[in-house]
């Protein structure tokens, strides 16, 4: 358990519904072990339990059954909850809801200030975090004037300033335009590969999953598929039956194959498709 960044063991979570008698199992007997340094992507259509799972991963929600360990700390251990949240930082969908200050650098400083980090150290962390997300030039700017992608990068900097080992991102690109999406995808890649952060990235964009070490697909609160992106997306029909698409190039290769053209069904990138053709 101490060896994993996040270790969920037989976790169940129900929201108590006031409307009907039957409680909904938002997360149903899920076990996941996230390795240190892993880039994990979680896919699933709306209502499949992804956000609930994310909130269980840093103690924002506590399991009804089972245990969740973050760097060996049980999320039910109330004495450790701030250590847990500091270890596994969370980035949400809407950057506007994550802004707390009227100047970018003050916004990024908010987390470490609340942790009681000394001012000089805060200064160092804010500069470093803004540099990582390539927003250093905007330190004195007003967040509300930034683009969606820039705001979301500032939100990520705010998490980075708390020096987490793991960052959980819950559909961080859902509200962004294509340019903002690209900025966030590049940032996530850099956090994982350069900054060695463990990444749990929840998305419904299939092309964002291609870069992951491992992909999980959720359906009705359960993990129904697990594997490398290649293992997952080569099962085009199964993925589609779960209400999801495969990446566009994979789809194209699949259709060419159906038309009788001899091409691998195992294609994930444009480069691979070009080579195969
Ligand atoms: P996803 O993020 O994949 O869309 P969620 O984890 O948000 O899924 O939701 C899983 C299930 O739990 C859904 O059926 C949803 O309607 C229900 N749910 C989510 N949040 C609440 C809540 N606060 N109260 C009651 N039910 C909820
Ligand atoms: Mg969600």
């Amino acid at each position: 358990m101490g060896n994993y960044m996040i270790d969920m063991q037989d976790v169940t979570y129900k929201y108590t519904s006031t409307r009907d008698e039957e409680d909904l199992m938002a997360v149903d007997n899920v076990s996941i072990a996230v390795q240190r340094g892993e880039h994990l992507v979680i896919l699933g259509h709306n209502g499949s339990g992804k956000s609930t799972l994310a909130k269980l991963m840093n103690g924002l929600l506590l399991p009804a059954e089972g245990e969740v360990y973050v760097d060996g700390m049980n999320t039910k251990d109330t004495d450790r909850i701030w250590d847990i949240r500091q270890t596994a930082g969370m980035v949400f969908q809407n950057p506007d809801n994550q802004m707390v200050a009227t100047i970018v650098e003050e916004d990024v400083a908010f987390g470490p200030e609340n942790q009681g980090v000394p001012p000089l150290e805060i200064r160092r962390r804010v500069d470093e975090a803004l540099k990582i997300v390539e927003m250093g030039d905007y330190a004195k700017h007003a967040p509300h004037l930034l683009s969606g992608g820039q705001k979301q990068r500032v939100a990520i900097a705010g998490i980075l300033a708390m020096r987490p080992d793991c960052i959980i991102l819950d559909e961080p690109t859902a509200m962004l335009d294509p340019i903002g999406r690209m900025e966030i995808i590049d940032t996530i890649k850099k956090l994982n590969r350069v900054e060695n952060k463990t990444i749990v990235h929840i998305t419904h964009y299939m092309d964002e999953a291609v870069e992951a070490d491992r992909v999980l697909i959720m359906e009705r609160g359960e993990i129904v598929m697990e594997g490398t992106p290649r293992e997952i997306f080569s099962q085009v029909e199964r993925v589609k039956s779960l209400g999801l698409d495969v990446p566009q190039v994979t789809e194209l290769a699949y259709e060419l194959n159906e038309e009788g053209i001899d091409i691998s069904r195992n294609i994930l990138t444009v480069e691979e498709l070009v080579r195969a053709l």
Side-chain angles (χ1 to χ4, degrees):
M1 118 190 139
N3 290 326
Y4 293 115
M5 190 69 254
I6 295 173
D7 191 5
M8 303 185 87
Q9 300 175 355
D10 307 312
V11 170
T12 292
Y13 189 87
K14 298 176 207 175
Y15 292 99
T16 25
S17 165
T18 47
R19 274 170 299 161
D20 42 79
E21 289 299 294
E22 226 174 290
D23 285 340
L24 181 82
M25 291 279 213
V27 168
D28 190 0
N29 201 31
V30 165
S31 297
I32 301 175
V34 184
Q35 306 273 358
R36 278 169 207 286
E38 185 172 4
H39 179 181
L40 179 69
V41 160
I42 301 176
L43 300 171
H45 61 69
N46 275 342
S48 57
K50 304 181 300 298
S51 292
T52 306
L53 192 77
K55 289 174 188 155
L56 287 160
M57 283 184 169
N58 81 339
L60 282 173
L61 295 175
L62 297 177
E65 288 165 40
E67 312 293 332
V68 179
Y69 297 94
V70 176
D71 198 11
M73 299 177 278
N74 192 320
T75 57
K76 287 177 188 162
D77 184 351
T78 47
D79 291 343
R80 307 302 298 275
I81 195 65
W82 295 111
D83 291 329
I84 288 166
R85 302 244 173 100
Q86 188 268 318
T87 304
M90 186 103 139
V91 176
F92 297 94
Q93 195 175 98
N94 188 341
D96 289 318
N97 295 345
Q98 299 171 79
M99 298 285 156
V100 289
T102 52
I103 297 175
V104 165
E105 63 181 9
E106 286 175 9
D107 199 83
V108 178
F110 187 79
E113 264 164 14
N114 278 308
Q115 290 176 320
V117 174
L120 268 176
E121 171 67 12
I122 292 178
R123 180 76 260 163
R124 204 174 311 142
R125 289 191 188 191
V126 168
D127 291 344
E128 179 194 79
L130 284 173
K131 189 163 172 233
I132 292 169
V133 301
E134 290 167 28
M135 286 296 288
D137 293 343
Y138 294 82
K140 310 280 182 199
H141 285 229
H144 71 276
L145 297 176
L146 303 175
S147 72
Q150 290 173 326
K151 282 181 196 171
Q152 196 61 302
R153 283 189 282 152
V154 171
I156 292 172
I159 297 300
L160 280 174
M162 290 189 277
R163 297 269 166 89
D165 294 325
C166 174
I167 304 180
I168 302 161
L169 305 104
D170 189 0
E171 302 204 29
T173 65
M175 306 190 70
L176 307 182
D177 60 18
I179 293 170
R181 257 188 75 202
M182 280 311 302
E183 291 170 6
I184 297 308
I185 295 167
D186 288 346
T187 303
I188 291 172
K189 244 187 272 180
K190 183 175 176 188
L191 293 178
N192 182 246
R193 293 180 191 170
V194 182
E195 303 300 323
N196 298 316
K197 304 293 182 191
T198 305
I199 299 291
V200 178
H201 177 192
I202 294 166
T203 181
H204 59 250
Y205 291 107
M206 302 307 125
D207 52 335
E208 294 182 9
V210 168
E211 301 282 349
D213 295 317
R214 183 161 61 123
V215 176
L216 301 177
I217 300 186
M218 289 192 80
E219 163 86 352
R220 293 171 198 268
E222 295 177 74
I223 308 280
V224 292
M225 287 182 85
E226 179 193 355
T228 63
R230 206 173 291 282
E231 286 163 354
I232 297 281
F233 294 127
S234 59
Q235 301 175 61
V236 174
E237 270 143 43
R238 176 108 195 270
V239 171
K240 288 189 162 184
S241 75
L242 295 166
L244 300 170
D245 290 321
V246 297
Q248 271 180 0
V249 282
T250 311
E251 172 85 38
L252 183 55
Y254 173 79
E255 278 170 12
L256 289 171
N257 198 285
E258 292 282 284
E259 294 296 320
I261 293 166
D262 182 22
I263 184 170
S264 165
R265 290 184 177 228
N266 226 339
I267 280 177
L268 280 183
T269 65
V270 176
E271 292 74 39
E272 287 175 8
L273 182 66
V274 170
R275 224 178 300 138
L277 288 169

